[in-house]
Amino acid sequence: MVCINCQRHIADGSNFCYSCGAKQPAAGAASASAAEYGGKKRLVRSSTDKKIGGVCAGLADYFDLDATLIRIVWLLAILCAGTGLLVYVILWIALPLGPTGVVTTSAPSTPVAS
């Protein structure tokens, strides 16, 4: 199942998106694509996976790539051409901050009694 707002994959039958919190359509229409409901991808800065400003993670989410790969390419652009830093700052200012998602952890929420 794909979120109608942020286009991320979520579990089938979910009522809300784990990333953006958007309410999902009824279970009968869960198999339909997000484009049918008017949802579209937006280029935003990441609010959860950011190292400096969230620009690289936002680009990675938009293009469905690994954020580390985008960060390495960006670092090479800064070191080789020097204009990468200027473009990063411009995108940091121009891109809106994305919705805050629910951060999931692998640790159990309740203490384990032994």
Side-chain angles (χ1 to χ4, degrees):
M1 184 170 165
V2 177
C3 174
I4 61 170
N5 187 33
C6 67
Q7 304 297 317
R8 292 194 181 215
H9 291 284
I10 56 176
D12 290 336
S14 297
N15 292 327
F16 295 93
C17 177
Y18 309 125
S19 300
C20 67
K23 183 163 177 44
Q24 301 303 305
S31 63
S33 68
E36 294 175 11
Y37 291 101
K40 54 187 172 183
K41 279 189 169 183
R42 291 182 49 210
L43 183 57
V44 295
R45 290 184 293 132
S46 176
S47 60
T48 56
D49 182 24
K50 61 181 178 178
K51 300 297 180 194
I52 298 175
V55 173
C56 291
L59 287 171
D61 286 342
Y62 186 76
F63 292 114
D64 291 327
L65 296 171
D66 186 28
T68 305
L69 179 66
I70 298 291
R71 289 179 180 124
I72 290 172
V73 169
W74 210 277
L75 180 65
L76 291 174
I78 289 173
L79 293 178
C80 293
T83 59
L85 182 63
L86 178 64
V87 173
Y88 188 91
V89 171
I90 290 171
L91 286 175
W92 192 354
I93 294 168
L95 292 180
L97 188 62
T100 304
V102 176
V103 179
T104 58
T105 61
S106 60
S109 61
T110 58
V112 177
S114 48

